[in-house]
Coordinates of all heavy atoms in Angstrom, one line a residue:
A736 N 0.8 -1.3 0.0 CA 0.0 0.0 0.0 C 0.9 1.2 0.0 O 2.0 1.3 0.5 CB -0.9 0.0 1.2
E737 N 0.3 2.4 -0.5 CA 0.9 3.6 -0.6 C 0.5 4.5 0.6 O 1.4 5.4 1.2 CB 0.7 4.5 -1.7 CG 1.2 3.9 -3.1 CD 0.5 4.6 -4.2 OE1 -0.4 5.2 -4.3 OE2 1.4 4.6 -5.3
K738 N -0.6 4.2 1.3 CA -1.1 4.9 2.4 C -1.6 3.9 3.4 O -1.7 2.7 3.2 CB -2.2 5.9 1.9 CG -1.8 6.9 0.9 CD -2.9 7.9 0.5 CE -2.6 8.7 -0.5 NZ -3.7 9.7 -1.0
Q739 N -1.9 4.5 4.6 CA -2.3 3.7 5.7 C -3.7 3.1 5.4 O -4.7 3.8 4.8 CB -2.4 4.6 7.0 CG -3.1 3.9 8.3 CD -3.1 4.9 9.4 OE1 -2.2 5.2 10.0 NE2 -4.4 5.4 9.6
I740 N -3.9 1.8 5.8 CA -5.2 1.1 5.7 C -5.9 0.9 7.2 O -5.1 0.4 8.0 CB -5.1 -0.2 5.0 CG1 -4.5 0.0 3.5 CG2 -6.4 -1.0 4.9 CD1 -4.2 -1.3 2.9
K741 N -7.0 1.4 7.4 CA -7.6 1.3 8.6 C -8.7 0.2 8.5 O -9.7 0.3 7.6 CB -8.3 2.5 9.1 CG -8.9 2.4 10.4 CD -9.4 3.7 11.1 CE -9.9 3.6 12.5 NZ -10.3 4.9 13.1
V742 N -8.6 -1.0 9.1 CA -9.5 -2.0 8.9 C -10.5 -2.1 10.2 O -10.1 -2.3 11.3 CB -8.8 -3.3 8.9 CG1 -9.7 -4.5 8.5 CG2 -7.8 -3.3 7.8
L743 N -11.7 -1.9 10.0 CA -12.7 -1.6 11.1 C -13.3 -3.0 11.6 O -13.4 -4.0 10.8 CB -13.9 -0.8 10.5 CG -13.5 0.6 10.0 CD1 -14.8 1.3 9.4 CD2 -12.8 1.4 10.9
D744 N -13.6 -3.1 12.8 CA -14.4 -4.3 13.4 C -13.7 -5.5 13.3 O -14.1 -6.4 12.6 CB -15.7 -4.2 12.8 CG -16.6 -3.0 13.1 OD1 -16.5 -2.5 14.1 OD2 -17.4 -2.6 12.4
C745 N -12.5 -5.7 13.9 CA -11.7 -6.8 13.7 C -11.7 -7.7 15.0 O -10.9 -8.7 15.1 CB -10.3 -6.3 13.5 SG -10.0 -5.4 12.1
A746 N -12.7 -7.6 16.0 CA -12.7 -8.4 17.1 C -12.8 -9.8 16.8 O -12.3 -10.8 17.4 CB -13.8 -7.9 18.0
N747 N -13.6 -10.1 15.6 CA -13.9 -11.5 15.4 C -12.7 -12.3 14.8 O -12.8 -13.5 14.5 CB -15.0 -11.5 14.2 CG -16.4 -11.6 14.9 OD1 -16.4 -11.9 16.1 ND2 -17.4 -11.2 14.3
V748 N -11.6 -11.6 14.5 CA -10.3 -12.3 14.3 C -9.9 -13.4 15.2 O -9.4 -14.5 15.0 CB -9.1 -11.4 14.0 CG1 -7.8 -12.2 14.0 CG2 -9.2 -10.4 12.8
A749 N -10.3 -13.2 16.5 CA -10.1 -14.2 17.6 C -10.9 -15.4 17.4 O -10.6 -16.5 18.0 CB -10.5 -13.4 18.9
T750 N -11.9 -15.5 16.4 CA -12.7 -16.6 16.2 C -11.7 -17.8 15.6 O -12.0 -18.8 15.8 CB -13.9 -16.5 15.4 OG1 -13.4 -16.0 14.0 CG2 -14.8 -15.4 15.9
S751 N -10.8 -17.3 14.8 CA -10.1 -18.5 14.0 C -8.4 -18.3 14.3 O -7.7 -19.1 14.0 CB -10.3 -18.2 12.5 OG -9.9 -17.0 12.1
F752 N -8.0 -17.1 14.6 CA -6.6 -16.6 14.6 C -6.2 -15.9 15.9 O -5.9 -14.7 15.8 CB -6.1 -16.0 13.4 CG -4.7 -16.3 13.1 CD1 -4.3 -16.4 11.7 CD2 -3.7 -16.2 14.0 CE1 -3.0 -16.5 11.4 CE2 -2.4 -16.3 13.8 CZ -2.0 -16.5 12.4
P753 N -6.3 -16.5 17.1 CA -5.8 -15.7 18.3 C -4.3 -15.4 18.1 O -3.5 -16.2 17.7 CB -6.1 -16.6 19.4 CG -6.2 -17.9 18.8 CD -6.7 -17.8 17.4
G754 N -4.0 -14.1 18.4 CA -2.5 -13.8 18.3 C -2.2 -13.4 16.9 O -1.0 -13.2 16.7
F755 N -3.1 -13.1 16.1 CA -2.8 -12.7 14.7 C -1.9 -11.4 14.6 O -0.9 -11.4 14.0 CB -4.1 -12.5 13.8 CG -3.8 -11.8 12.5 CD1 -3.2 -12.5 11.5 CD2 -4.2 -10.5 12.3 CE1 -2.9 -11.9 10.1 CE2 -3.8 -9.8 11.2 CZ -3.3 -10.6 10.1
V756 N -2.3 -10.4 15.4 CA -1.6 -9.2 15.3 C -0.1 -9.3 15.7 O 0.8 -8.8 15.1 CB -2.3 -8.1 16.1 CG1 -1.4 -6.8 16.3 CG2 -3.6 -7.6 15.4
D757 N 0.1 -10.1 16.9 CA 1.4 -10.2 17.3 C 2.3 -11.1 16.4 O 3.4 -10.6 16.2 CB 1.3 -11.0 18.7 CG 0.8 -10.3 19.8 OD1 0.8 -8.9 19.7 OD2 0.2 -10.8 20.9
L758 N 1.8 -12.0 15.8 CA 2.4 -12.8 14.8 C 2.8 -12.0 13.6 O 3.8 -12.1 13.0 CB 1.8 -14.2 14.3 CG 2.5 -15.2 13.6 CD1 3.9 -15.5 14.2 CD2 1.7 -16.4 13.4
A759 N 1.8 -11.2 13.0 CA 2.0 -10.4 11.9 C 3.1 -9.4 12.1 O 3.9 -9.3 11.2 CB 0.7 -9.8 11.6
R760 N 3.1 -8.8 13.3 CA 4.2 -7.8 13.6 C 5.4 -8.5 13.7 O 6.5 -8.0 13.2 CB 3.9 -7.1 14.9 CG 2.8 -6.0 14.8 CD 2.9 -5.0 15.9 NE 2.6 -5.7 17.2 CZ 1.4 -5.4 17.9 NH1 0.5 -4.7 17.4 NH2 1.4 -6.0 19.2
H761 N 5.5 -9.7 14.3 CA 6.7 -10.4 14.4 C 7.5 -10.8 13.1 O 8.7 -10.7 13.0 CB 6.5 -11.8 15.2 CG 7.6 -12.7 15.3 ND1 8.7 -12.5 16.1 CD2 7.9 -13.8 14.6 CE1 9.5 -13.5 16.0 NE2 9.1 -14.3 15.1
C762 N 6.7 -11.0 12.1 CA 7.3 -11.4 10.8 C 7.5 -10.2 9.9 O 8.0 -10.2 8.9 CB 6.5 -12.5 10.1 SG 5.0 -12.0 9.4
G763 N 7.0 -9.0 10.3 CA 7.2 -7.8 9.6 C 6.1 -6.9 9.1 O 6.3 -5.9 8.6
I764 N 4.8 -7.3 9.3 CA 3.7 -6.5 9.0 C 3.6 -5.4 9.9 O 3.5 -5.7 11.1 CB 2.4 -7.4 8.8 CG1 2.7 -8.5 7.6 CG2 1.3 -6.6 8.4 CD1 1.5 -9.4 7.5
Q765 N 3.3 -4.2 9.6 CA 3.3 -3.1 10.5 C 1.8 -2.8 10.7 O 1.1 -2.0 10.1 CB 3.9 -1.8 9.9 CG 5.5 -2.1 9.6 CD 6.1 -1.0 9.0 OE1 6.0 0.2 9.5 NE2 6.8 -1.1 7.9
V766 N 1.4 -3.5 11.8 CA -0.2 -3.3 12.2 C -0.2 -3.1 13.6 O 0.5 -3.7 14.4 CB -0.9 -4.5 11.7 CG1 -0.4 -5.8 12.3 CG2 -2.3 -4.3 12.0
Q767 N -1.2 -2.3 14.0 CA -1.6 -1.9 15.5 C -3.0 -2.1 15.7 O -3.8 -1.9 14.8 CB -1.0 -0.5 15.8 CG 0.4 -0.2 15.7 CD 1.4 -0.9 16.6 OE1 1.0 -1.3 17.7 NE2 2.6 -1.3 16.0
E768 N -3.3 -2.4 16.9 CA -4.7 -2.5 17.4 C -5.2 -1.2 17.9 O -4.5 -0.4 18.6 CB -5.1 -3.6 18.4 CG -4.9 -5.0 17.8 CD -5.2 -6.0 18.9 OE1 -5.4 -5.7 20.1 OE2 -5.5 -7.1 18.6
E769 N -6.5 -0.8 17.5 CA -7.0 0.4 18.1 C -8.3 0.0 18.7 O -9.2 -0.6 18.1 CB -7.3 1.5 16.9 CG -8.1 2.7 17.4 CD -8.5 3.5 16.3 OE1 -9.5 3.2 15.6 OE2 -7.9 4.5 15.9

């Protein structure tokens, strides 16, 4: 991407992938929770 992407309503990620944000950051994806 060229600009920031804000992804809304992500609580349901926990249904299939607990710890997704931590693992994504660990491997290099620059994502934060709001």
Side-chain angles (χ1 to χ4, degrees):
E737 294 177 329
K738 299 179 181 179
Q739 176 182 283
I740 299 175
K741 184 172 185 177
V742 188
L743 306 177
D744 297 326
C745 302
N747 275 339
V748 168
T750 63
S751 67
F752 203 143
F755 168 74
V756 168
D757 289 340
L758 188 55
R760 286 202 294 253
H761 174 75
C762 74
I764 300 174
Q765 300 178 52
V766 57
Q767 301 291 330
E768 288 187 342
E769 176 188 79

